[in-house]
Amino acid sequence: MSSYEKYRTQAVIIKEKNFGEADKLFTLYTEEFGLVFVIAKGVRLLKSKLKPSLKIFRMLVVTLIKGKDVWRLTDAECLSLRLEKIKEQNLAKTCLLLAELVQGQEKNTELFKVVESFFLENPASLSEEDFELWSVVNVLHALGYGSDDEDFELLIRPFSETSSTKNKKKIISLINNALASSQLRKQT
């Protein structure tokens, strides 16, 4: 019998997909491993102890086992409740962008801090659109896009309503330029 090493790390659930009769596949952004794809066995069953914790866009502490072919999720403890509905919808767009731009499994402490800030800081004063711009700008910056642009540097945390309201067109242009330079995504 072989033993597998368990890893405990903070994570955010970015995507979920039903798999088989009772399992789910999750895309997690983790503190220790970056973007990982994990399977949670039996999590769709009513008796599953993990089911209540595994909700999309929640901050968790998870226990993972690296199997031969796939990561397996064996435990999850919820650290944050879901965001308010408005911010959750905008965060969904940012998380999908994150999943698209992050290539492969690699630890990125700065990017994890940015993702974590969406849950901890949750700037209530920002409008829906400003929250989306704030989150996208910070993700792009943490991934190294736009870091050679002085204007882009001014937009990262803290992000005030006045800076976004006055410069929305410029911010959107800077985001589109950063996305175009990634060559992974078409401009939006």
Side-chain angles (χ1 to χ4, degrees), residues 10-17 25-30 38 50-51 53-60 62 73 76 91 95 115 119:
Q10 284 190 35
V12 174
I13 299 175
I14 294 177
K15 288 191 212 177
E16 63 182 4
K17 182 178 180 181
L25 292 172
F26 291 97
T27 303
L28 304 179
Y29 193 76
T30 69
V38 302
L50 295 176
K51 189 175 188 169
S53 297
L54 297 177
K55 305 289 185 207
I56 198 156
F57 309 125
R58 280 203 177 157
M59 179 69 69
L60 310 165
V62 295
L73 187 128
L91 184 59
C95 285
V115 173
F119 296 89

Side-chain angles (χ1 to χ4, degrees), residues 1 63 70 81 95 120 169:
M1 184 171 151
T63 303
V70 68
L81 298 176
C95 285
L120 302 179
K169 285 183 181 180

